Amino acid sequence: MIQLAQNKDGRLIIASNQKFPSEVRRVEYYRDMKLFILVYENEDHGSDLMPCEISEETAVKVIRSPDIIVIAMAEKGREPYGYQVPLVQIGL
């Protein structure tokens, strides 16, 4: 499952309890549809559409954010890890 959250300093976080197919290169946010797409470093893995539309209140927070923190599940027996990626906003 993938979840969207916001930390105390206001930065957005995408967290997953499953391993991504490869590192996330960037997150694309389609303003008109209020949907995210995760674009992976390894182009063979393509991208993943997050399956739920976000609320209007959350959309305002997303529009104000230049980047996003990704918290990814690690290999079995290791701690999850995080990194910051660009948040590319598409549309009006």
Side-chain angles (χ1 to χ4, degrees):
M1 174 170 53
I2 297 175
Q3 293 186 331
L4 179 66
Q6 188 175 28
N7 68 7
K8 291 181 182 180
D9 69 3
R11 290 188 294 170
L12 296 176
I13 300 169
I14 287 183
S16 175
N17 64 355
Q18 299 173 359
K19 190 174 178 216
F20 292 119
S22 75
E23 298 276 324
V24 176
R25 179 187 323 169
R26 70 178 178 275
V27 176
E28 296 176 352
Y29 175 64
Y30 289 81
R31 290 182 178 190
D32 55 340
M33 296 182 289
K34 295 185 182 127
L35 293 172
F36 288 101
I37 291 183
L38 305 177
V39 179
Y40 298 109
E41 282 291 334
N42 185 337
E43 293 178 9
D44 293 340
H45 292 125
S47 58
D48 280 333
L49 175 66
M50 289 184 63
C52 56
E53 183 177 324
I54 63 171
S55 70
E56 189 63 40
E57 179 182 332
T58 303
V60 171
K61 295 175 185 179
V62 172
I63 290 169
R64 294 181 183 154
S65 184
D67 52 30
I68 195 161
I69 298 170
V70 176
I71 305 293
M73 237 4 230
E75 299 288 329
K76 188 174 183 179
R78 295 177 56 193
E79 292 291 317
Y81 60 99
Y83 49 96
Q84 195 167 330
V85 298
L87 176 60
V88 178
Q89 300 192 33
I90 299 168
L92 300 175

